Amino acid sequence: MGKQIMRVEPIHSMQAFSAKFKHNYRIGAIPNANEAYSHMNEQIIRLPAGETYNTFFEKKLMELPYYETHKIRKNATLGLEFMLSYGTSGLPKDFSVKEWMEKSKQFLMDQFGKENIASAVLHMDEGTPHIHAVIIPIKDGKLSARAFLPDRQAM
């Protein structure tokens, strides 16, 4: 039986958003990506046209009345990047990347709400297929990564 892998990484700065955007959308050289397979990459949840993670984040915060009178905390988690993958050994014979991708997309939307997902991108051009999803953790009208991931056990 193959295993599912999920890694979460907090995003604490606008520079980190930019770096994630460049990697996920293959802007510039990606040393561990094989360009011959880049045509197989797929946007599962698309950023709005012309947006970056930075602009998506800024627009989301501008919609929140809380931030009209409050500043973002210095140590706030601005976003979360999830990397979802599967082990390639021990997979069932009828394993489908498309089905795995759809189930992963549904998991993300169920857990975080489609409105909080900046994008989800399937990378098929690296050693193991995987999905990068960037989430803006908004709950009850303000940023709150803790509302989604209160502690290690909850994850």
Side-chain angles (χ1 to χ4, degrees), residues 14-141:
M14 298 308 269
Q15 292 82 5
F17 272 134
S18 293
K20 303 280 183 206
F21 180 78
K22 287 176 183 174
H23 175 81
N24 294 352
Y25 285 93
R26 301 305 198 226
I27 298 169
I30 309 297
N32 59 331
N34 184 340
E35 286 187 38
Y37 297 110
S38 64
H39 69 281
M40 296 170 64
N41 292 346
E42 187 175 338
Q43 291 185 62
I44 301 167
I45 298 174
R46 294 180 175 274
L47 267 170
E51 297 257 347
T52 65
Y53 294 150
N54 296 58
T55 60
F56 185 87
F57 172 80
E58 289 167 356
K59 283 183 180 179
K60 292 293 287 179
L61 255 62
M62 287 174 54
E63 295 172 359
L64 303 175
Y66 180 81
Y67 292 103
E68 291 173 7
T69 57
H70 294 80
K71 290 184 178 182
I72 300 170
R73 291 185 339 268
K74 270 189 209 178
N75 64 342
T77 298
L78 307 179
L80 299 167
E81 182 184 47
F82 282 82
M83 193 279 299
L84 305 163
S85 185
Y86 56 86
T88 54
S89 63
L91 292 174
K93 289 182 180 170
D94 63 344
F95 180 80
S96 162
V97 172
K98 195 78 165 168
E99 185 178 333
W100 169 78
M101 179 183 73
E102 288 302 320
K103 285 182 178 182
S104 296
K105 174 183 175 180
Q106 193 59 53
F107 165 78
L108 292 166
M109 291 190 306
D110 291 346
Q111 293 300 309
F112 305 104
K114 184 169 180 2
E115 68 281 357
N116 290 335
I117 303 172
S119 79
V121 179
L122 172 67
H123 285 168
M124 297 292 288
D125 60 355
E126 295 182 46
T128 303
H130 59 279
I131 296 169
H132 288 281
V134 173
I135 314 294
I136 308 301
I138 296 173
K139 183 86 169 189
D140 299 327

